Amino acid sequence: MDTKIPNRIHIIGSVGSGKTTLARKLSAQLNLPYYELDNVVWERAEPDDIRRCEADRDALLLSIVNTNGWIIEGAHLKWVSPSFRHADLIVFLNPSYSTITYRIITRFIKQRLRLEQAHYTPTWDMFKKMFEWSAAYQREGRYQIQDTLADYPGKVVVVKSHEQLMQELKQRMPSIERKGRTSG
């Protein structure tokens, strides 16, 4: 990986790994727009979201990755290879199972109390699905991600936390400490 600040960053990990929080932080720090892959899959509508067909979903993803700078985050793997190919940096957030579990519970409570917004209705069924997705990730998802990311040597960073990522980036790119874009 070279030492210039990346313009295109893909963040991947389990539900509750901190992808959206990290994308927001990096977006503010690097002055790059961020995109949630769930919003690429789903067209947000009232009263219910509408799932985009694969062709529309893929076209929307391509329209994003073909721009000069972005941060894309999500748990999706199979159809996002254009993002991996175009990325300057791929961040695989892989925190402990206990951290993920804590975040799922905390998020659900905050959403039920309307202290945090959600793109979905925080029902008990959705809460249960979050744990099912997390368990599937622990059993097989993280290994599938590792296998897929092996095809992108030199641009993948695997971390357990935002702090670990920032330490890694500061070592590789000293100019990342400064807020805003630099060419250094």
Side-chain angles (χ1 to χ4, degrees):
M1 182 185 303
D2 67 38
T3 59
K4 77 176 192 127
I5 296 175
N7 288 322
R8 296 177 177 140
I9 302 170
H10 186 114
I11 303 169
I12 190 167
S14 171
V15 60
S17 63
K19 300 176 303 295
T20 304
T21 301
L22 178 60
R24 286 180 184 145
K25 285 180 180 180
L26 288 176
S27 174
Q29 185 172 11
L30 302 176
N31 195 26
L32 291 170
Y34 80 92
Y35 303 90
E36 298 175 39
L37 286 174
D38 285 347
N39 293 335
V40 173
V41 172
W42 297 95
E43 182 178 347
R44 302 302 179 185
E46 291 294 332
D48 295 313
D49 295 338
I50 302 164
R51 182 182 281 273
R52 287 187 172 91
C53 69
E54 287 182 15
D56 289 349
R57 175 202 68 194
D58 295 348
L60 181 53
L61 179 64
L62 280 177
S63 74
I64 295 167
V65 300
N66 286 325
T67 62
N68 289 331
W70 42 259
I71 299 169
I72 294 174
E73 66 86 3
H76 304 275
L77 183 63
K78 295 185 178 173
W79 55 274
V80 298
S81 58
S83 174
F84 292 150
R85 281 193 308 273
H86 285 82
D88 300 320
L89 174 68
I90 302 169
V91 178
F92 177 19
L93 274 178
N94 193 22
S96 68
Y97 183 68
S98 61
T99 297
I100 290 170
T101 300
Y102 172 80
R103 288 178 179 162
I104 290 170
I105 294 167
T106 303
R107 175 192 296 166
F108 181 74
I109 292 168
K110 287 179 179 179
Q111 290 172 345
R112 292 286 291 208
L113 294 173
R114 295 193 169 114
L115 299 174
E116 184 176 292
Q117 256 188 320
H119 292 300
Y120 52 85
T121 304
T123 63
W124 289 104
D125 186 49
M126 181 58 80
F127 186 56
K128 180 182 170 203
K129 284 181 184 179
M130 297 270 183
F131 283 103
E132 290 169 359
W133 294 330
S134 177
Y137 169 81
Q138 293 299 319
R139 278 191 317 275
E140 58 200 30
R142 62 184 167 162
Y143 304 111
Q144 292 169 347
I145 292 170
Q146 289 171 340
D147 290 346
T148 299
L149 296 184
D151 293 338
Y152 304 95
K155 58 166 105 175
V156 177
V157 176
V158 181
V159 294
K160 293 188 178 295
S161 68
H162 303 164
E163 295 77 19
Q164 186 182 6
L165 173 65
M166 293 315 293
Q167 289 174 353
E168 178 77 23
L169 292 179
K170 285 175 187 175
Q171 286 179 351
R172 295 173 185 230
M173 299 167 251
S175 59
I176 197 129
E177 286 188 70
R178 293 189 294 258
K179 188 171 181 170
R181 304 296 298 164
T182 64
S183 58

